[in-house]
Amino acid sequence: MLKLLFFWLSLLLTLHLDRPLAEASNVTDIFILAGQSNMAGRGGVEHGRWNGVVPSQSAPSPSILRLSAGMRWQPAAEPLHVDIDVARNKTCGVGPGMAFANAVLPGLMRCNEAAAVVGLVPCAVGGTRIRQWRRGKRLYGRMVRRARAAARGGGRRRIRGVLWYQGESDTVRREDAEGYKGNLERLVVDLRSDLGIPALPFLLVAVASGEGKFVEQVRKAQLTIDLPNVQCVDAKGLGLKADHLHLTTTSEVQLGQELARAFLAHFAHRPSLHQLMQ
């Protein structure tokens, strides 16, 4: 009898673990995190190793989940992109995502007048140029698939915005920097179309650094983008690590909080996906 009980308990546990949690969880507000390494997070990473230090502003919360690489909701914790940005020579650390989620959560609860559960969808990959995020490319396709999987489930669940921090790799070649604005605008339009959310908010970060000499050209493109429901948060002035490319842990936290303030100021009072689509 005891063996039979253990068998049924094991079977139930297996079935539970195999359920599509992207459909089963209580996530209400979904945010896509995309771009390159400063979105994926390099805070606390030195010599290829993460020091494991998590600031209180980036601490886990029962009300913050992440979509894993296997399309399953799980408790969110740094490093958010640990199974997404997985190239052999890359190590993920603290990024802006958890600080953003912790800062935006109380505002969402006030605006929703109900409990909120933030669902983060990590998609960022270090060292990528914006051309690699075009419609039809692998990174773009994966981002769309992950966003759609996250949105399954109905109810109060909706995609609330995209956090985009990318551009450092487009500062190397003049043609990339000069074409950046057009490529970025095309990305915004295509993603809104493919997700069926014409007014999907974009929180864009203007780069603080770059791999080449055309940083100001890329920054100008980001700061002057002229599309509705796009807000730009400037990372210039935030502290950089010794490589003069990646944000420090403290800077990642500050950026996440700035992104949360921008979202709450401009987009939080739109309580439903239906209204976003008008």
Side-chain angles (χ1 to χ4, degrees), residues 240-253:
L240 299 174
K241 296 165 59 176
D243 61 8
H244 303 291
L245 182 62
H246 295 108
L247 299 184
T248 65
T249 296
T250 298
S251 294
E252 292 280 22
V253 170

Side-chain angles (χ1 to χ4, degrees), residues 2-16:
L2 189 59
K3 289 183 178 180
L4 183 62
L5 177 62
F6 280 132
F7 168 78
W8 283 110
L9 286 174
S10 176
L11 179 61
L12 288 172
L13 180 60
T14 301
L15 290 173
H16 174 73

